[in-house]
Amino acid sequence: MATTAAQQSGGSKPAMRKPVFTKVDQLKPGTTGHTLTVKVVSSNTVLQKGRASSANLRQTRIAECLVGDETGTIVFTARNEQVDSMKPGATVVLRNAKIDMFKGSMRLAVDKWGRVEVTEPADFTVKEENNLSLVEYELVNVVEE
């Protein structure tokens, strides 16, 4: 008779939360934990450097990809193996994505705590007129008296 580790310890595994999918036009600066389904509009590699040592080949690749859904587009910064899945025309699910600020504009990124998954093609048309990465933000310090 096989029992799982959770049954043996007496406790149960905490229930996984259902992901709340957000739309591109709902993204705000400085926010994290987004789950989005987006289409890749374009992808271009901005950095590719490799350092070969005898033990391992360490490569750093960064690509800026324009991704979007039916509400708008945003620039997604893909790193290393994420670059491979960000092919133009592909539909991807970005899990636990965060907003990074770069030169006053928003960039979407997935760090080591998130995931980029290629999924079946979605049936929406990307609204390219609404590019959130073209909106420039300015950090204003509010002094409370």
Side-chain angles (χ1 to χ4, degrees), residues 42-127:
S42 65
S43 172
N44 60 331
T45 305
V46 291
L47 176 76
Q48 185 158 8
K49 62 180 184 187
R51 200 169 59 230
S53 66
S54 58
N56 61 349
L57 180 71
R58 205 175 140 95
Q59 226 186 9
T60 302
R61 289 186 304 161
I62 295 178
E64 285 190 344
C65 313
L66 187 65
V67 300
D69 59 15
E70 67 273 13
T71 63
T73 57
I74 191 165
V75 174
F76 174 77
T77 307
R79 300 176 181 278
N80 303 330
E81 60 277 347
Q82 293 174 356
V83 175
D84 300 330
S85 48
M86 301 304 282
K87 301 267 185 286
T91 303
V92 291
V93 175
L94 306 175
R95 297 193 187 278
N96 203 11
K98 61 183 174 120
I99 298 291
D100 285 333
M101 296 305 287
F102 177 72
K103 293 184 180 171
S105 68
M106 291 196 300
R107 294 276 198 273
L108 196 59
V110 173
D111 58 11
K112 65 179 180 179
W113 305 111
R115 215 161 63 202
V116 176
E117 305 169 344
V118 178
T119 184
E120 61 271 355
D123 58 352
F124 55 77
T125 309
V126 177
K127 184 178 178 184

Side-chain angles (χ1 to χ4, degrees), residues 110-145:
V110 173
D111 58 11
K112 65 179 180 179
W113 305 111
R115 215 161 63 202
V116 176
E117 305 169 344
V118 178
T119 184
E120 61 271 355
D123 58 352
F124 55 77
T125 309
V126 177
K127 184 178 178 184
E128 294 187 48
E129 307 85 61
N130 184 16
N131 188 339
L132 295 182
S133 293
L134 295 178
V135 178
E136 202 164 300
Y137 290 87
E138 190 174 333
L139 182 65
V140 179
N141 292 323
V142 178
V143 181
E144 292 185 21
E145 295 180 23

Side-chain angles (χ1 to χ4, degrees), residues 4-25:
T4 62
Q7 289 170 332
Q8 288 172 350
S9 64
S12 63
K13 202 171 124 186
M16 296 285 281
R17 283 190 308 153
K18 277 259 183 262
V20 177
F21 284 86
T22 42
K23 295 291 180 195
V24 172
D25 66 349

